[in-house]
Amino acid sequence: MRSTHDLGTTDDDDVIDVTRVTARDRRRLTAVAAGVTAALALGGLSTVSAHGTDSADSARSDSAHTAAARSATGTRPTAETTPIGFGAGTTGGGNATATTVTSLDAFKAAVTGDKAKVVRVSGLISLTGQVDIGSNTTVLGVGSGSGFTGGGLRLKESTNVIVRNLAISKPRKPSDGITVQKSTKVWIDHNTFSADRDHDKDYYDGLLDINHGSDNITVSWNKFADHFKGSLVGHSDNNASEDTGHLKVTYHHNWFSDVYSRIPSLRFGTGHFYDNYVQGAETGVHSRMGAQTLVENNVFRDTEVAVTTSRDSDVDGYAVLRGNDLGGAATEISRTGSFTTPPYAYTAEPASSVVSTVTAQAGTGKL
């Protein structure tokens, strides 16, 4: 099923109504009215909600794991020392002696190859394009303002990589802030990704894109801000042969502030999106091309459509919603998913505490 809101099937082809985006007052219509408009435009959906909480709350899983997660309301999470979710077990450079770099050339040399290594980035480094990161690598920013601007990092055919505490800004097209391509066991944690909304949607590329059969990835405690295309998982509708059975990604405790869409957009894979704060989006979670997505205990504010399974691709996705605070945003669930119990231990804090927890702890400078 297609809509006219956000057409396109590949990374670079999403069509955005620029008049709605540049005029913030018009973009930020009341969420209920926007939800009704979206529902009428799409038609035929099995679930369309514009309420303050999930329409699927009554169908929550009764598993012991889910019940335990629901009961853990008294303790707020703190920064993990190891990843939770599909990226569990990622160790990066482990206990290798750290190397601190302050220039682009030194950074490129330090992250090359597959030997275990820990690379600390001190200061903000300008770059054009992307730097390839080898396997068994940990990249850490020093303080709250160290990282890269103008381009980003690429993990291509790499495994066991950790990227933490980096400020990554304004990745000029065709470079993403971080691209994960044909890579496995990745933890992206406590980074700040940002651009601006002063240019058209294709001036910058994605903040974090995961594609080409990548797998077992956790994206946690990051801040994504002031951008059109947030996080794409699966680059095209035509890549089923490579992506099916892969693209397993967990997003938890991330803060998306004024990111237009792709929060995330997931094709073919399996996504667990829990305890995130989405603020100022047109479209949040987008499940398409048969992707299975569990959307749990998140908070949406000033968002038109929190979750959709029915836009832009020839095949709809699947979604299960539970415990979310939709804040008046609509949902467009054409197909209810079967992914209800992730294959790992986690505790989802209740939506009531997500905003205070995430705004206090997500992004750089919090480790």
Side-chain angles (χ1 to χ4, degrees), residues 167-189:
I168 299 176
S169 62
K170 300 185 176 180
R172 289 290 303 273
K173 188 178 180 179
S175 298
D176 301 315
I178 296 180
T179 302
V180 182
Q181 184 179 112
K182 296 184 179 180
S183 295
T184 61
K185 298 187 73 65
V186 176
W187 186 23
I188 297 171
D189 177 74

Side-chain angles (χ1 to χ4, degrees), residues 24-349:
R24 290 289 181 91
D25 290 338
R26 276 180 288 167
R27 183 178 71 84
R28 294 184 174 178
L29 299 171
T30 60
V32 173
V36 172
T37 301
L40 292 173
L42 286 158
L45 301 178
S46 62
T47 303
V48 178
S49 170
H51 304 295
T53 56
D54 289 338
S55 62
D57 277 348
S58 60
R60 294 181 190 178
S61 169
D62 292 328
S63 69
H65 175 81
T66 300
R70 297 289 183 274
S71 67
T73 60
T75 303
R76 294 187 182 180
T78 57
E80 295 87 20
T81 56
T82 58
I84 295 169
F86 282 117
T90 303
T91 58
N95 295 320
T97 301
T99 299
T100 300
V101 299
T102 58
S103 69
L104 180 57
D105 287 344
F107 178 72
K108 288 179 176 179
V111 298
T112 300
D114 296 334
K115 292 180 63 176
K117 50 198 171 296
V118 176
V119 181
R120 291 166 54 87
V121 178
S122 180
L124 188 62
I125 298 173
S126 296
L127 58 85
T128 301
Q130 292 180 297
V131 178
D132 285 329
I133 310 298
S135 296
N136 306 308
T137 303
T138 297
V139 181
L140 292 170
V142 176
S144 61
S146 294
F148 303 94
T149 186
L153 310 180
R154 184 174 69 166
L155 283 58
K156 184 177 181 181
E157 299 180 349
S158 298
T159 188
N160 194 32
V161 176
I162 295 172
V163 180
R164 304 185 83 188
N165 203 48
L166 292 178
I168 299 176
S169 62
K170 300 185 176 180
R172 289 290 303 273
K173 188 178 180 179
S175 298
D176 301 315
I178 296 180
T179 302
V180 182
Q181 184 179 112
K182 296 184 179 180
S183 295
T184 61
K185 298 187 73 65
V186 176
W187 186 23
I188 297 171
D189 177 74
H190 276 95
N191 303 286
T192 295
F193 298 87
S194 65
D196 61 54
R197 299 281 290 271
D198 300 330
H199 302 83
D200 68 62
K201 72 179 184 67
D202 291 322
Y203 185 80
Y204 301 114
D205 215 329
L207 293 178
L208 168 61
D209 285 4
I210 299 165
N211 52 43
H212 288 288
S214 294
D215 219 349
N216 297 321
I217 295 165
T218 291
V219 179
S220 57
W221 297 104
N222 301 284
K223 183 175 182 182
F224 299 83
D226 301 319
H227 196 62
F228 286 109
K229 300 181 286 188
S231 187
L232 185 69
V233 182
H235 72 287
S236 129
D237 286 3
N238 303 315
N239 207 46
S241 60
E242 183 178 30
D243 289 342
T244 301
H246 303 289
L247 299 177
K248 295 187 287 293
V249 186
T250 301
Y251 290 79
H252 74 85
H253 292 96
N254 300 286
W255 181 7
F256 295 86
S257 176
D258 280 322
V259 176
Y260 184 88
S261 63
R262 302 183 184 181
I263 306 174
S265 174
L266 175 64
R267 293 177 171 96
F268 301 110
T270 302
H272 186 195
F273 190 79
Y274 77 92
D275 285 342
N276 300 283
Y277 178 33
V278 179
Q279 178 186 30
E282 292 281 330
T283 305
V285 180
H286 186 179
S287 181
R288 57 209 288 195
M289 295 305 297
Q292 293 277 352
T293 308
L294 173 59
V295 183
E296 179 177 20
N297 291 25
N298 303 284
V299 175
F300 298 86
R301 292 290 181 267
D302 194 22
T303 294
E304 291 193 10
V305 178
V307 185
T308 181
T309 62
S310 54
R311 295 181 179 230
D312 309 334
S313 290
D314 292 333
V315 179
D316 289 1
Y318 298 87
V320 172
L321 277 62
R322 65 184 183 220
N324 300 288
D325 177 352
L326 299 177
T331 62
E332 304 167 350
I333 311 302
S334 58
R335 301 205 289 185
T336 300
S338 59
F339 177 51
T340 59
T341 306
Y344 47 77
Y346 73 103
T347 298
E349 68 172 304

